[in-house]
Amino acid sequence: MAEILQKDGTWTFDGGTVRIVPGRGSKVHPLRQALGELEVPLSALTGVAYEPGRKGGGLRLRLREGACPLLLAANGRLGDSADPYRLAVEPDRTGVAEYFVDEVRNALLLDQVSADPVDRFLLPGPSVPVSGGGGDGTASFDGETVRLTWNWKAEESKSSGGPSTLPLSDITGVEWLPSRGLENGYLRFHTGRPTGKVPAPKYDPCAVDLWGLSKKEYTAALVAAAVLVRLPHPAASAGSLPALEKSLAPAAALPAAPAVADDHDALLRRLRELGELHQAGVLTDEEFTRAKQAVLKRL
């Protein structure tokens, strides 16, 4: 097992799952603290990297496109401090971080994990009930209904109608945009109800206007992700290749894979396959050496 403990959090890898536990210090982003512990299956990853910096560095997991509802809701708008898949690494733990990277990369290589986008979520999303927001109101979600409540800063056109209640069955989409500079952000829910022209978030009873006065406003992204994971996956209707569909089939529908660690013949076959891939130029010398060493450890 590979493990790295930092003030920013703790990551462990058991060969099949990366377990992420965020730190609890004041410097840990509120979004990561509210999200809590994560278990990322190897099948959801495309890679891992250690990124050196002037003062230490950072570990970063790279997920398959569409695998995580939070990343899909954020659409690349999470900064490093808010990203649950990044861990700040102190200068004296560089060696441990690099070892962690090698272990995950070897597992990805051995299991031949696809890097293709997915058409179903491979992570469950934030647990419910969940709430977040700021600015002119707060959004909460219990798994069935979104409730938007307004504070004294909300426009009268919103507050005069009281809290907005949106059943999940009425929601067709959700958008989250953090504030940037002088531009407000928002958390907006789209419904199947005819509304005509969509009003600005500050006037929209289906949106919370985010002003960026506190990092806690980022927790609105958790509400967006919790709703998004319960809606049809955006890529599901786009169609997929048969091979991809097979790779994404529910685990219960597939025959159980043999325990490779206990199958001597399977490991020997894997060594031969690696040798053939190396001779064919698919694997570099370094990749072949790392993968071979990982198989020999399991022998």
Side-chain angles (χ1 to χ4, degrees):
M1 176 181 288
E3 182 177 50
I4 179 167
L5 291 80
Q6 296 291 272
K7 295 178 181 178
D8 197 38
T10 300
W11 286 14
T12 57
F13 178 61
D14 62 5
T17 302
V18 177
R19 184 168 181 263
I20 298 173
V21 181
R24 292 297 175 187
S26 59
K27 294 184 179 180
V28 179
H29 199 284
L31 183 147
R32 291 175 53 210
Q33 291 188 2
L35 183 60
E37 298 182 13
L38 292 172
E39 291 189 355
V40 186
L42 193 65
S43 60
L45 296 176
T46 61
V48 59
Y50 172 68
E51 303 168 340
R54 290 183 298 177
K55 297 182 179 179
L59 276 174
R60 189 185 301 276
L61 290 179
R62 304 192 186 281
L63 276 66
R64 296 171 68 180
E65 184 180 341
C68 173
L70 176 61
L71 293 186
L72 197 60
N75 194 24
R77 302 184 185 105
L78 289 178
D80 283 350
S81 63
D83 189 344
Y85 304 111
R86 187 184 186 279
L87 178 71
V89 177
E90 298 164 19
D92 61 345
R93 305 300 286 171
T94 298
V96 179
E98 291 175 343
Y99 172 75
F100 191 96
V101 168
D102 287 341
E103 290 295 294
V104 176
R105 284 180 176 172
N106 286 339
L108 288 169
L109 186 61
L110 282 172
D111 289 6
Q112 298 182 352
V113 176
S114 171
D116 292 334
V118 297
D119 61 2
R120 69 179 179 93
F121 293 113
L122 301 182
L123 281 91
S127 58
V128 294
V130 62
S131 64
D136 68 354
T138 300
S140 59
F141 179 55
D142 62 5
E144 297 180 356
T145 303
V146 171
R147 182 179 173 86
L148 307 179
T149 56
W150 316 115
N151 56 38
W152 64 273
K153 307 169 192 173
E155 292 288 330
E156 186 177 356
S157 59
K158 277 186 176 181
S159 59
S160 61
S164 294
T165 302
L166 307 173
L168 182 63
S169 58
D170 286 352
I171 298 174
T172 58
V174 56
E175 291 180 86
W176 173 74
L177 180 71
S179 61
R180 294 287 177 88
L182 299 177
E183 295 184 6
N184 291 352
Y186 58 84
L187 172 64
R188 190 200 300 271
F189 298 93
H190 297 278
T191 69
R193 305 170 185 170
T195 57
K197 184 178 180 181
V198 178
K202 65 185 297 185
Y203 302 111
D204 187 352
C206 294
V208 174
D209 202 23
L210 304 174
W211 302 342
L213 300 178
S214 168
K215 286 184 178 180
K216 289 186 178 180
E217 291 189 7
Y218 267 69
T219 55
L222 300 180
V223 182
V227 172
L228 187 63
V229 77
R230 289 166 173 81
L231 299 178
H233 194 286
S237 60
S240 55
L241 296 174
L244 180 58
E245 290 176 348
K246 182 178 179 181
S247 71
L248 298 177
L254 298 175
V260 177
D262 298 328
D263 191 337
H264 187 270
D265 291 339
L267 289 172
L268 291 177
R269 287 196 300 271
R270 185 64 183 135
L271 280 175
R272 286 196 295 271
E273 291 172 359
L274 290 172
E276 292 170 357
L277 291 172
H278 181 232
Q279 291 179 356
V282 176
L283 296 178
T284 65
D285 292 343
E286 182 181 355
E287 290 171 339
F288 172 67
T289 300
R290 286 205 312 266
K292 182 176 70 173
Q293 290 174 346
V295 174
L296 292 175
K297 283 182 183 179
R298 295 164 78 169
L299 275 171

